Amino acid sequence: MVGDGFRVHNFIPGNIPSGMERMNPFIMLDYGSRHYFPPSEIPRGVGVHPHRGFETVTIAYHGKVAHHDSAGNSGVIGEGDVQWMTAASGVLHKEYHEKEFSLKGGDFQMVQLWVNLPAVNKMSKPGYQSITNDQIGSFELPGNEGTIEVIAGNYQSVNGPASTFTPVHLMNARLNAGSKAAFSFPSSYTTALIVIEGSVVVNGNNDIPTNFFVLFGSDGDEFTIESKEKAIVLIMSGEKIHEPIAAYGPFVMNTREELIEAYQDFEKGKFGHLDD
Ligand code: MN
């Protein structure tokens, strides 16, 4: 559990340098598989905590998350929506189940992905992109096979609305039964997928069930996904950032000195203020 509201499997381990290096520029991925939360008067979630040096990307499939940060941004991430928060020089934030969702209870399924920032942007001003489902780029596969929802980067001619600091492609393939889609990313990028719903066959002979994570090798730049049943697949691909990683909890910097500075700045209240 992250706090009491996020039941997750940690597919990209933060704070294990070899794991972060291997998944570069993705430095952490928590996957909350579909899980029923009973009604609660007090919204479950995670209280005020800091981040510095990277971006947190939250993708909601079921349930709703309310968010507040010390930069003054707040919002609700609903089903099909994405929140792209640039912590950069530092924010405090809190993430809770949205009030109405909490009162009613229900299924909850979500991804939180951390994307590293290059050294030149680690101390930039914090930012916040609230991306609702209708703003997400949509590529219709021919023959009613489904839709590729482009959050960042591009799929063929369709661009995603999220602005990124380094090249990142992030998309949901929403496939109908009996569909096949092809994807192409540079082999030097780190490329992975998660099966959010249904099951798929990758590259013709790998059966991947719901909730499984696939990490691609770097020996090619194309792959295919086929769906025998209706499926949702989250696909991510990013250019590696060739800089050292120094990580401690919610801080991801380039050197140990910068981590100490981050911790001291946090202690001194330089991340601003946010009520519990
Ligand atoms: Mn957080």
Side-chain angles (χ1 to χ4, degrees):
M1 297 295 291
V2 177
D4 64 357
F6 302 97
R7 173 188 171 272
V8 301
H9 291 86
N10 182 224
F11 282 163
I12 301 178
N15 289 325
I16 299 177
S18 59
M20 299 169 89
E21 243 2 296
R22 177 64 190 88
M23 297 307 299
N24 185 355
F26 307 114
I27 45 179
M28 203 281 305
L29 190 149
D30 272 346
Y31 174 56
S33 60
R34 193 165 176 168
H35 177 73
Y36 175 76
F37 282 93
S40 172
E41 292 278 328
I42 301 163
R44 299 176 178 90
V46 52
V48 177
H49 60 278
H51 292 292
R52 174 182 279 184
F54 57 95
E55 303 186 278
T56 69
V57 181
T58 306
I59 306 157
Y61 295 97
H62 291 282
K64 286 182 180 177
V65 175
H67 164 268
H68 295 85
D69 73 34
S70 56
N73 296 303
S74 66
V76 172
I77 313 162
E79 298 191 3
D81 299 343
V82 175
Q83 180 208 63
W84 199 295
M85 187 187 80
T86 306
S89 64
V91 293
L92 304 176
H93 78 160
K94 54 184 181 181
E95 299 153 285
Y96 282 99
H97 292 188
E98 185 266 340
K99 206 163 172 257
E100 295 300 313
F101 171 80
S102 187
L103 284 172
K104 280 211 301 217
D107 281 359
F108 196 86
Q109 186 178 19
M110 214 147 294
V111 165
Q112 189 169 87
L113 175 68
W114 290 6
V115 182
N116 206 1
L117 285 171
V120 68
N121 298 118
K122 279 189 181 292
M123 292 302 283
S124 298
K125 204 168 153 277
Y128 181 83
Q129 302 174 70
S130 164
I131 302 167
T132 54
N133 191 259
D134 61 338
Q135 296 171 318
I136 293 175
S138 182
F139 181 91
E140 296 300 327
L141 294 166
N144 192 33
E145 292 202 343
T147 305
I148 311 297
E149 282 185 354
V150 188
I151 300 162
N154 72 289
Y155 183 80
Q156 301 202 19
S157 56
V158 173
N159 294 312
S163 115
T164 65
F165 288 82
T166 56
V168 173
H169 300 279
L170 188 66
M171 57 197 72
N172 279 309
R174 293 182 184 265
L175 302 176
N176 294 323
S179 297
K180 183 172 180 177
F183 297 84
S184 177
F185 304 108
S187 59
S188 60
Y189 281 25
T190 299
T191 302
L193 62 78
I194 301 176
V195 180
I196 302 292
E197 198 178 297
S199 64
V200 296
V201 178
V202 175
N203 283 341
N205 57 3
N206 304 280
D207 287 306
I208 316 294
T210 312
N211 298 335
F212 273 65
F213 180 84
V214 172
L215 172 62
F216 290 94
S218 50
D219 52 345
D221 53 15
E222 279 176 21
F223 63 90
T224 59
I225 300 176
E226 288 164 84
S227 57
K228 287 178 187 146
E229 55 179 328
K230 209 168 164 30
I232 303 173
V233 182
L234 175 69
I235 297 151
M236 66 203 77
S237 184
E239 186 180 83
K240 292 176 196 287
I241 299 170
H242 296 287
E243 294 175 355
I245 296 173
Y248 182 77
F251 310 127
V252 181
M253 304 302 289
N254 300 110
T255 66
R256 191 181 136 75
E257 290 67 37
E258 288 167 349
L259 285 181
I260 294 167
E261 188 188 8
Y263 191 77
Q264 287 171 344
D265 286 352
F266 168 60
E267 289 278 285
K268 284 183 205 153
K270 286 193 182 174
F271 284 48
H273 177 79
L274 185 66
D275 286 326
D276 280 327

